[in-house]
Amino acid sequence: MKAQYLGHVVFYVKDLQRSLAFYRDLLGFKEVGRIFHGQAAALTSGRTHHELLLIQVGDAPGPLQGRRRGLYHIGIKVGDSLDELRQAKRELEEAGISIDGMSDHTVSQSLYLRDPDGNEVELYVDADEAIWKNNPEAVVSPIKPLRL
């Protein structure tokens, strides 16, 4: 497999509004939608469906057990089709890497795993870009299980 580009970063933040004031209002990212009962916001520069996801956790760890403020995970695009994601999954399994989860996010399909230091990494392929270009809020569609 070959990484095509770093697609997005997900941060756990203390105060979503404060973070939106920085990333959206000051840096100019466009908010495309909210999830988790309004406690998370997806943002884009326009390059793709989202480059940044902010998830409010307040004074961590708190009620969101095990979470802390800071980096949650990075997303790396590894192809353009489910066949390429299947191949990436095979390569990971052959290398002895455990897959922690697989998700269909409507705008993308993903594998989740840990790097050698325990950081979460999402490897993904995008769905047809018309989905999010025609409906930017598709990025915050309910997450579905993915079967490869």
Side-chain angles (χ1 to χ4, degrees):
M1 99 187 76
K2 174 160 182 355
Q4 293 183 352
Y5 57 75
L6 180 63
H8 65 266
V9 175
V10 182
F11 285 120
Y12 287 134
V13 300
K14 179 177 182 174
D15 182 303
L16 183 60
Q17 291 308 314
R18 182 179 70 180
S19 294
L20 285 171
F22 179 79
Y23 289 104
R24 182 190 60 201
D25 304 339
L26 181 62
L27 296 184
F29 280 89
K30 178 184 174 195
E31 183 177 339
V32 295
R34 301 274 180 110
I35 54 175
F36 305 142
H37 307 288
Q39 298 300 300
L43 300 110
T44 184
S45 68
R47 179 184 56 84
T48 187
H49 41 77
H50 77 292
E51 289 103 346
L52 187 59
L53 181 66
L54 305 172
I55 303 172
Q56 181 172 288
V57 296
D59 291 317
L64 297 174
Q65 190 173 347
R67 296 186 181 173
R68 65 200 183 293
R69 290 191 302 271
L71 182 66
Y72 172 17
H73 73 256
I74 62 170
I76 301 170
K77 183 176 178 180
V78 295
D80 296 305
S81 70
L82 284 176
D83 285 340
E84 289 172 291
L85 194 61
R86 283 184 195 95
Q87 179 60 34
K89 182 177 182 283
R90 280 191 293 274
E91 291 177 31
L92 292 165
E93 290 170 340
E94 289 169 5
I97 304 295
S98 297
I99 306 295
D100 294 339
M102 300 187 302
S103 297
D104 180 346
H105 297 283
T106 302
V107 298
S108 63
Q109 291 75 41
S110 306
L111 304 174
Y112 292 90
L113 53 128
R114 301 277 172 180
D115 76 5
D117 292 306
N119 297 303
E120 186 170 292
V121 176
E122 174 187 0
L123 302 180
Y124 72 93
V125 297
D126 281 328
D128 183 348
E129 68 181 25
I131 294 170
W132 59 268
K133 284 190 173 181
N134 293 334
N135 177 17
E137 289 192 11
V139 74
V140 292
S141 297
I143 299 167
K144 300 171 285 297
L146 177 66
R147 307 226 190 306
L148 290 178

